[in-house]
Amino acid sequence: MYNPVTPTIIAELRRIAGEGNVLVDAEALERYSHDETVGLRAKPEVVVRVTSAAQISDILKLAQRERFPVTPRGAGYGLSGGAVPVCGGIVLSTEKMNRILEIDRENLMVTVEPGVITGDIHRAVEAEGLFYPPDPASLDSCTIGGNIAEGAGGPRAVKYGTTMHYVCGLEAVLPSGEIITCGGKLVKNATGYNLIQLLIGSEGTLAVVTKIVLRLLPLPRVQVDLLVPFDDFQAAADTVSDIIAHRILPTAMEFMERDSILAVERLLRKEVPYDDAAAHLLIQLDGNTQAGVDADMEVVAGLCLEHGARDVLVARDRPTRDRLWEARRMIIEALKHESPVNHMEDVVVPRAAIHHLLKGMRQIAGRHGVRIVSFGHAGDGNVHVNLLKDDLSDDRWQAVVPAVTGEVYRLALSLGGTLTGEHGIGATRRRYLPLALDEVQIELMRRIRDLFDPNHILNPAKIFP
């Protein structure tokens, strides 16, 4: 279906992007052959680091003419294989498009290029007293372009929503090479179909985003974090529901099972408070007045204790808050350290169903004789399910992953959930898409893809089975 990238094409790529931005050496090709998905690798034929929309346009026109595939890539921190060039061709890296172009204080907007690290956006706007809420776990490594491609979320989604709620404008290059501009510094826009929301979460299959306008909020003046250990996960889940029922919406409500806490302890070689508890809730509250936040904190702490929490540890200053969050942010690294070969899913269910999901996953683990460690976002029902290889044989691992994965998906769907909350379908989940979407929906999506890119040049073999 696709043609190889010839020396003539490589010469043309060098003319477009510059000699130093076209990489063909083995070390570079290996570096760009994977994202953070364990066990999935595919070497590109060439890597091109672009610096402008015009360069991307010329490259995509060349790809259409010569019929070679193009895989867009941000920082490569995805967890579904979305940036892996499974069909070969070229990797189109936007890492050098990393400028914060403008912080507009009057309109509460920031304009950025796709290669800007998400954490750098946070720090830049907070220095101006402004706030960009989406906070994926890899915020100090991932890029905003990757966040757009995957529709990234994070712990603060329970109160503030995900990436899709903050994108007001996009510049993007279509697979044809045409450059389009959608929206702008507009809070409202009802002009035609919402192409911005169509591109968000499209995983690099419809266009390459080259400029983003993000809506900002005033930075909350007060923040407090609570670490709450429970001896029973049902009690922790009931606490989450009760907090919401009391009309309090925390900034974040994260949960960590005991096994994830112990894994972090082994990695960091230091103790986490109440490491023998069955589950921890990590609750963040924010607001503009100390009195208001304190009042919410008193209610939340009281509800936690009513539901059997052992204690409520309070962190008011930044260093103490960072210590409480260290364990949560290190879980993925800790599990990789425990078992370098592992498999992660991020199913999502109604938040009241999390307890049923975790109970079902323990039953699945028992049936298959494997170790499953879970953690995630109790406030929005998004659970990261980690299947660890440990000392299983390779043959046993190859057989058990699809069996367990299929059961986890069916369990989530039976509880009113779906396959993925924030990591995307990519290359790893596409075979399971028909479990969640009917034939009519999948066919509509295929037709949209074909309209944008009839030759399937851009990020092929992603999303669709």
Side-chain angles (χ1 to χ4, degrees):
M1 179 178 179
Y2 299 109
N3 294 324
V5 178
T6 64
T8 301
I9 291 172
I10 291 175
E12 181 65 10
L13 293 171
R14 286 177 172 144
R15 184 193 67 77
I16 294 169
E19 181 80 25
N21 288 324
V22 178
L23 310 177
V24 294
D25 60 284
E27 182 180 347
L29 298 185
E30 171 59 27
R31 191 165 65 250
Y32 290 86
S33 69
H34 61 90
D35 60 8
E36 290 298 295
T37 308
V38 176
L40 179 63
R41 303 179 103 84
K43 281 189 180 182
E45 295 164 77
V46 60
V47 175
V48 183
R49 298 181 299 192
V50 291
T51 57
S52 71
Q55 289 181 356
I56 296 171
S57 174
D58 288 345
I59 290 168
L60 290 178
K61 288 175 182 176
L62 177 64
Q64 292 288 354
R65 186 173 73 242
E66 300 295 338
R67 293 291 190 271
F68 60 82
V70 176
T71 302
R73 178 187 174 97
Y77 278 88
L79 290 161
S80 63
V84 179
V86 294
C87 294
I90 78 169
V91 162
L92 186 77
S93 172
T94 60
E95 64 192 283
K96 286 194 169 185
M97 298 179 70
N98 59 1
R99 295 178 298 164
I100 296 176
L101 299 172
E102 180 192 25
I103 299 175
D104 184 340
R105 301 162 192 82
E106 185 175 0
N107 288 303
L108 296 182
M109 299 278 177
V110 60
T111 304
V112 299
E113 292 183 321
V116 178
I117 300 297
T118 305
D120 289 343
I121 297 175
H122 286 186
R123 286 180 283 273
V125 302
E126 286 173 17
E128 303 292 336
L130 301 173
F131 184 40
Y132 176 64
D135 61 333
S138 58
L139 64 90
D140 284 321
S141 306
C142 65
T143 63
I144 188 64
N147 295 173
I148 298 288
E150 300 298 331
R156 294 196 291 232
V158 60
K159 180 174 182 177
Y160 290 109
T162 65
T163 301
M164 65 179 287
H165 298 104
Y166 294 89
V167 182
C168 294
L170 290 177
E171 178 189 81
V173 185
L174 301 179
S176 63
E178 296 168 288
I179 301 174
I180 62 171
T181 300
C182 307
K185 295 179 182 180
L186 305 171
V187 176
K188 292 181 178 179
N189 186 347
T191 309
Y193 292 153
N194 195 332
L195 295 180
I196 292 173
Q197 293 301 324
L198 179 60
L199 295 182
I200 297 169
S202 63
E203 304 189 33
T205 62
L206 301 182
V208 180
V209 171
T210 53
K211 189 182 297 181
I212 305 123
V213 179
L214 298 168
R215 180 172 64 93
L216 303 174
L217 302 176
L219 182 66
R221 294 186 177 92
V222 182
Q223 181 179 311
V224 64
D225 293 276
L226 313 176
L227 183 66
V228 190
F230 289 85
D231 288 322
D232 175 65
F233 191 85
Q234 179 65 64
D238 291 344
T239 303
V240 171
S241 298
D242 207 2
I243 290 170
I244 301 297
H246 277 73
R247 303 296 186 266
I248 294 175
L249 194 59
T251 312
M253 284 194 288
E254 299 291 285
F255 77 90
M256 301 170 281
E257 286 191 310
R258 179 192 292 125
D259 286 348
S260 64
I261 292 293
L262 296 177
V264 170
E265 285 189 333
R266 287 189 286 267
L267 175 65
L268 298 180
R269 297 184 180 180
K270 60 183 180 183
E271 289 188 2
V272 174
Y274 295 100
D275 59 0
D276 59 337
H280 285 188
L281 289 182
L282 184 54
I283 302 170
Q284 185 176 95
L285 300 164
D286 69 8
N288 286 321
T289 67
Q290 189 70 57
V293 173
D294 285 348
D296 284 348
M297 183 186 70
E298 290 298 324
V299 174
V300 169
L303 291 172
C304 290
L305 294 172
E306 285 178 21
H307 284 279
R310 284 201 201 176
D311 200 353
V312 178
L313 306 181
V314 180
R316 293 182 180 275
D317 60 90
R318 185 61 178 265
T320 309
R321 294 201 307 267
D322 288 345
R323 284 197 293 274
L324 289 191
W325 278 90
E326 182 180 34
R328 169 62 182 88
R329 296 206 181 275
M330 289 300 296
I331 290 176
I332 292 178
E333 288 302 315
L335 295 180
K336 286 181 181 179
H337 184 260
E338 295 267 301
S339 178
V341 179
N342 59 76
H343 181 82
M344 178 190 284
E345 297 296 339
D346 79 311
V347 293
V348 60
V349 297
R351 58 181 162 232
I354 284 183
H355 170 69
H356 301 292
L357 178 69
L358 294 178
K359 180 179 178 181
M361 286 192 299
R362 284 191 287 270
Q363 293 170 348
I364 292 170
R367 281 198 299 273
H368 291 275
V370 296
R371 185 159 64 120
I372 294 177
V373 179
S374 300
F375 66 96
H377 315 304
D380 57 31
N382 188 193
V383 178
H384 299 307
V385 182
N386 299 268
L387 174 62
L388 306 184
K389 183 176 184 289
D390 291 333
D391 57 358
L392 294 179
S393 69
D394 291 344
D395 289 343
R396 173 72 177 135
W397 177 250
Q398 293 299 324
V400 80
V401 169
V404 168
T405 297
E407 289 192 35
V408 169
Y409 288 154
R410 289 181 177 88
L411 173 61
L413 290 163
S414 74
L415 296 171
T418 193
L419 309 186
T420 173
E422 56 190 7
H423 293 167
I425 297 295
T428 59
R429 300 182 180 94
R430 64 194 188 111
R431 76 181 76 171
Y432 300 104
L433 193 65
L435 293 178
L437 302 179
D438 60 39
E439 292 181 8
V440 174
Q441 293 179 80
I442 294 174
E443 181 58 25
L444 281 172
M445 293 180 184
R446 285 187 185 276
R447 290 180 187 178
I448 292 170
R449 168 74 184 272
D450 291 344
L451 181 63
F452 273 76
D453 186 10
N455 296 316
H456 292 193
I457 291 300
L458 196 57
N459 216 7
K462 307 292 167 65
I463 301 179
F464 300 106

